Amino acid sequence: MIDAGARADVTGLAALAARHGVETSYRGLDGQTRRASPDALVAALRALGASLDEADAAPSPPPLLEPVTVVWSGAPAASVPVPSAGAVRLECRLETEEGDKREWTCAAGPIALPDDLPLGYHDLTVTAGERVATTRVIHAPATLHDAPGRDWGVFLPLYALRTAGDLVVSDWTGLEALAEWTGALGGAAVGTLPLLAAFLDDPFDPSPYAPVSRLFWNELYLDPERSPELAGSPEARALLESDALRDGLAALAEAPLVDYREAARLKRRVVEALARTFDARAGWTSDEFRGFLRESPEAATYAAFRAAGERCRAPWREWPARMRDGAIEAGDYAEEDARTHLYAQWLSWRQSAAAARAAAAAGAGLYLDLPLGVHPDGFDTWRFRELFATGVSTGAPPDDFFAGGQDWGFPPLHPRRIREDGYRYVVAGLRTAMRRAAVVRLDHVMALHRLYWVPHGLDATEGVYVRYHPEEWWAILCLESRRHATPVVGEDLGTVPHEVREAMDRRGARRMYVLPFELERDGEPRLSPVPERAVASVGTHDMPPFAAWWEAAGEAGRAALEAALAGAGPPPEGAPDDRPDGEGTRARRALAGAHAWLARSAARLVLVNLEDLWLEDRSQNEPGTTMDERPNWRRRARLSFDEFRERPDVVGALETIDSIRKEGGGS
């Protein structure tokens, strides 16, 4: 809590908050205005680096240049504003992303940019007398990449997928096989949860929404048996063929929940052997490895960070001061551990690229999820600490599901400092996903505009909204989306300000349509129309699967859905019923009707949760609970890939969806 003396000094608190983009109130889900407390405002301002002395001071003069300037392609007279240059002439030096340099002088005022300025990130330095400033010019297309069509795809967490030969959990090879099967049925996408690096030992947090880094992949999902080093590594082959490893894997494979620690330990032994072979062959000097480093310039630092963490057995904030402050030296970690992590990232880079290529060739590209935050003890908060606000965490205000609000525990990006960095870290994270994805889903798209900050020591109900610079975020998204030919889906569920959806429409982002949220029961039951630019589904990973929703809805809810779906067409004939009481047949028919409704819509993509097709009633995640309370992010699919790929109810349902989607039209 902020002490009483500090509160007494905050005479211009509202004006100071407005100056720094902190909202003093917001409208809650209940329609009521919630006003931020002085404690919350002061804590947010301090997290932003604002001094409370500013409250009584006159506003600072505007800077010569803003850190970032957006120029939209096709807009007339592209220029950079210079708000406070005075009457002096301006000396301008522009360096393009490609390294070309141009210099000119001009009169004070908006600086006209060259007509042939290419799309990209360019640095403009302006000298006005003794003042010098640089702005990053983002020249972006006005809209995101889009691919018109009426496609469908499937969804399943990769850790839940069970394929033959898995080393406990499935991997990029398994994802590739799922994509090829989906493509053969006519599907165009395979969706899964984030596949980014995670803490799987100490610290331990396997949540896909609390990654160690947005820049690197989870090495649990690499496939050692497809390593180019395997043939030349007798040690690795012996490990893979050993009774001890196979017995351990068999025991883990029988468990309904993933044992991440043991799975990571067993796979690590094989990867260590492969890394030693890679080292002996001087693989670090190969052209392919150098290509990996060009795309992932932080890889060696990341490997050292992970190796140092393994030696210290503690979060980085508990490391010795020098290491904590960002200086890791060779003696701070075991060199072999660092080489293993570096090799694992190279192999993950290689295999993720192969999986993306194979999925694209099969016609069912990867639908990847980019999480909102990163783990507070992870690599990104250590390596790029100045880009994250401290003393606060990200969350959500109270709503119908969480009356006490939510505190998600990870630090938010600092709106001013990411601008001063030219959004380089943000761009790197987007590229990690977009290089592999046919479609990218942005978790909590509202964060491009504003984010709910919860000050440490205060309850989640006392958070405040902090504004970002949405035009700059959208410019980056449009540029990277076009460069990678990757459509963007914004997770816009719940109460979303009108300005966010307006921006999504203007820039061509796809929204989400989740059927239970669109069931209107006032008067005659009906479903809201499905927007054309949408990804439509029966549920999400944070919701109970359809069978559980059906059970919880009660007779009134079930009848309402059936009435709303009455005109959606017949369900597939001959679907087997695995519930002796007959309720399974009714649930299957309702599910088939829901899928038919979505398939007949104009939605760009209909995403089908595979577990729904066999009426799974257990959730993958229950928001608001911990892994100690629920088996979140751990539950394996009840049916293996070999089992569900042959089931008539699964294949028949997908074939029906494919047939409806290819009929054309839309509703």
Side-chain angles (χ1 to χ4, degrees), residues 388-413:
F388 293 88
T390 58
V392 291
S393 54
T394 305
D399 57 29
D400 290 344
F401 298 100
F402 300 98
Q406 298 178 73
D407 184 342
W408 297 325
F410 49 79
L413 287 169

Side-chain angles (χ1 to χ4, degrees), residues 554-570:
E555 184 55 35
R558 292 191 285 268
L561 179 61
E562 288 171 326
L565 293 170

